[in-house]
Amino acid sequence: MTAPAPIAMLAELTYRCPLSCPYCSNPVQMAAQDSELDTADWARVFREAAEMGVLQLHLSGGEPASRRDLTDLVSAARKAGLYTNLITSGIGLTEKRLTQLDDAGLDHVQLSLQGTNPEMADEIGGYRGGFARKLQVAEWIGKIGFPLTLNAVLHRRNLHQLPRALEMAQEMGARRIEVATVQFHGWALKNRAALMPTREQAKEANQIVTQARKRLKGRLVIDYVPADYHEDFPKRCMGGWGTTGLNVTPDGQVLPCHAAQSIPHLTFDRVQDKSLNEIWYNGAAFNAYRGTDWMQEPCRSCDRKTIDFGGCRCQAMAVIGDPAATDPVCIKSPHHESLQTQASAFSAQDDAPLIYREAPQKSSDPIN
Amino acid sequence: MLTTDIPILPRGVRLHHDKVRGTWVLLAPERAITLDAVGHAILNEVDGTRSFGEITGALAERYSAPVDEIRTDSSGFLDALRSRRFLDVSE
Ligand code: SF4
Ligand code: SF4
């Protein structure tokens, strides 16, 4: 099959981050800080991306503000013709820096929310004073006039704060909020006992979102990622493997999704060795799960197979150990029941401690 | 959309020519919306000062097309953009 050109690219500029959220999507084994691509490499990758049809660029991390050259990277992205979105916790941004990002042409800011009060937010982010700082940054963002999306990451410990998060988005002047229940990849997989929402919480969140969408229509757009362990059909991950988006890691590996490194048999090309175009159309990892030929039963003969593409490959890997299996979230999967039982068991472990994400090392640091 | 409504593209929403796919798109937070000829013609005229009525009137004249048709064709499209917060309106 011929793949369509990608629309979006997630550039993970660095794994460094002042926060240490226990659900961080960064890999549990992180590349060392000094193997990060430099400014010129990224600028070239942005140009290659734009030339092959990428329209949307998401600058992410870790914390992208931890890169000193962030403003130059935004300039390079805009010069390449990309719509440029900054995904940030806010920590590391000053009013001066934001003004520079504005001058560089930054299109949009997506601010993450770990909780709606300092007690919750600073505990989850593992960073004291982070919440107060974030509010300050939100004020500067509003003053400059950047379009803002608030990204509330929810799990068992803070799902009760969803109504307040919706209010905060409006108070900050955000046009959009992403209500994202934690997806269990990366560090979150280690934290299923501490973070798994209860079935009741998941249901209640569905209701709150449905009502809020009606009430706030035309004022606040709500994009919602439900707690999928409690659902009956999987999500269409990445819009279909290798159809819509790609992800570049701090050290230049190109992934079909941010969790793809969890699939052991895949190998990833690097932007230092090949063009993005070559990697997207011919890279082994991109072709591994494109289309439907790789599917097994029950997906193979299912009429939803081009709707959800069998769900998430990384979830099939994480839960069943087979990346070509039906996403265990699916009611047709033989593992569906056991997943739901596991989810209930995880969600009942009230005393489970948070396991915080660890920082990437320098390659000269001794490995302990 | 009323003929007296004045549409404006808010900051962070902009037209972009997609060379690879050979179309015009509207770029917005997390979205890229492919535009047809009418959609592009209208958004191209949106300047924050002229009303929906004036814009569609001028287009009807330029393309010698019936104005009512242009208005019905584009009003739903603009309303949909508005509900996604990709378009603001002042009266
Ligand atoms: S999830 Fe938390 S720790 Fe991970 S990059 Fe984002 S802010 Fe940093
Ligand atoms: S069987 Fe496969 S294709 Fe069908 S709904 Fe489940 S995950 Fe989707």
Side-chain angles (χ1 to χ4, degrees):
Chain A
M1 68 171 284
T2 27
I7 290 170
M9 179 163 99
L10 184 80
E12 292 179 335
L13 299 177
T14 179
Y15 287 141
R16 284 172 289 150
C17 184
L19 270 56
S20 44
C21 307
Y23 47 72
C24 185
S25 64
N26 288 167
V28 176
Q29 300 290 337
M30 278 182 245
Q33 164 184 341
D34 44 7
S35 60
E36 284 179 12
L37 296 181
D38 65 18
T39 319
D41 284 333
W42 277 118
R44 171 179 58 82
V45 173
F46 296 161
R47 285 192 300 273
E48 288 183 9
E51 272 161 34
M52 66 186 293
V54 169
L55 298 170
Q56 296 263 358
L57 174 68
H58 306 291
L59 299 175
S60 174
E63 174 50 61
S66 299
R67 290 271 312 210
R68 291 221 191 112
D69 57 354
L70 181 61
T71 306
D72 295 332
L73 293 171
V74 168
S75 298
R78 283 305 309 267
K79 222 163 131 199
L82 297 167
Y83 188 96
T84 308
N85 173 29
L86 180 68
I87 301 179
T88 179
S89 67
I91 309 303
L93 292 173
T94 58
E95 188 170 16
K96 182 166 163 227
R97 255 188 127 187
L98 282 162
T99 310
Q100 289 165 347
L101 290 170
D102 185 24
D103 294 339
L106 182 65
D107 284 294
H108 175 253
V109 179
Q110 184 171 322
L111 188 65
S112 63
L113 191 72
Q114 286 73 23
T116 59
N117 55 12
E119 294 74 25
M120 180 68 71
D122 295 355
E123 195 204 348
I124 297 296
Y127 186 81
R128 195 170 316 162
F131 183 73
R133 184 72 191 174
K134 189 188 301 287
L135 292 189
Q136 174 64 73
V137 171
E139 213 178 291
W140 292 328
I141 290 171
K143 198 165 138 199
I144 293 174
F146 284 119
L148 172 68
T149 292
L150 192 63
N151 180 17
V153 186
L154 300 173
H155 42 77
R156 188 170 79 246
R157 298 219 181 185
N158 68 1
L159 254 164
H160 62 282
Q161 298 188 330
L162 170 56
R164 178 67 195 129
L166 292 164
E167 284 171 10
M168 281 180 72
Q170 295 170 79
E171 288 162 12
M172 289 176 180
R175 289 184 213 158
R176 185 169 163 270
I177 184 170
E178 271 184 33
V179 175
T181 316
V182 163
Q183 302 294 300
F184 293 99
H185 305 293
W187 290 87
L189 202 57
K190 288 182 179 287
N191 277 295
R192 284 189 291 185
L195 299 178
M196 185 70 65
T198 64
R199 184 163 264 275
E200 292 69 38
Q201 278 182 313
K203 250 202 205 146
E204 198 189 343
N206 287 346
Q207 281 164 2
I208 292 175
V209 168
T210 310
Q211 286 163 5
R213 275 184 174 151
K214 264 193 221 144
R215 193 173 71 241
L216 301 172
K217 190 166 189 261
R219 284 186 284 153
L220 184 70
V221 176
I222 304 173
D223 283 332
Y224 179 45
V225 181
D228 73 345
Y229 276 44
H230 293 300
E231 297 277 307
D232 284 341
F233 288 106
K235 60 183 188 305
R236 175 186 171 105
C237 197
M238 295 296 292
W241 187 275
T243 64
T244 313
L246 50 87
N247 185 9
V248 182
T249 66
D251 61 348
Q253 298 183 64
V254 188
L255 318 178
C257 92
H258 64 76
Q261 282 162 313
S262 66
I263 301 178
H265 80 89
L266 294 180
T267 52
F268 305 101
D269 295 313
R270 286 156 49 105
V271 295
Q272 295 93 320
D273 309 325
K274 286 179 184 172
S275 75
L276 214 51
N277 196 73
E278 168 70 17
I279 297 172
W280 172 261
Y281 289 103
N282 299 324
F286 281 87
N287 282 322
Y289 302 108
R290 265 196 178 121
T292 54
D293 286 350
W294 54 271
M295 285 180 180
Q296 312 169 357
E297 292 297 348
C299 293
R300 180 172 277 279
S301 53
C302 177
D303 57 7
R304 282 178 57 93
K305 72 176 172 188
T306 54
I307 296 174
D308 62 30
F309 291 99
C312 174
R313 298 304 88 228
C314 303
Q315 187 139 282
M317 179 69 220
V319 178
I320 311 170
D322 176 4
T326 297
D327 188 328
V329 164
C330 181
I331 195 159
K332 295 189 185 176
S333 161
H335 303 274
H336 173 75
E337 246 185 74
S338 108
L339 186 79
Q340 299 222 319
T341 313
Q342 275 183 55
S344 303
F346 282 131
S347 73
Q349 293 186 42
D350 280 335
D351 50 356
L354 294 172
I355 302 163
Y356 288 97
R357 113 171 197 164
E358 286 151 27
Q361 313 262 323
K362 293 202 169 150
S363 53
S364 53
D365 285 351
I367 314 248
N368 40 12
Chain B
M1 178 100 12
L2 305 171
T3 48
T4 50
D5 285 344
I6 299 171
I8 184 164
L9 291 178
R11 180 167 171 181
V13 182
R14 54 189 170 83
L15 289 167
H16 174 82
H17 186 248
D18 183 343
K19 280 180 246 133
V20 173
R21 299 171 189 84
T23 57
W24 282 89
V25 291
L26 189 66
L27 295 181
E30 300 277 340
R31 290 284 186 285
I33 300 147
T34 306
L35 299 172
D36 60 14
V38 179
H40 176 237
I42 291 189
L43 291 178
N44 213 14
E45 301 287 325
V46 163
D47 59 4
T49 60
R50 287 183 304 150
S51 68
F52 176 60
E54 289 172 283
I55 291 171
T56 44
L59 286 176
E61 217 165 285
R62 187 174 332 148
Y63 297 103
S64 12
V67 72
D68 288 345
E69 210 168 281
I70 294 195
R71 282 188 190 148
T72 15
D73 280 4
S74 55
S75 164
F77 164 67
L78 293 180
D79 285 339
L81 291 181
R82 191 178 178 184
S83 73
R84 292 287 312 177
R85 300 277 336 247
F86 297 160
L87 188 82
D88 285 346
V89 163
S90 63
E91 278 128 59

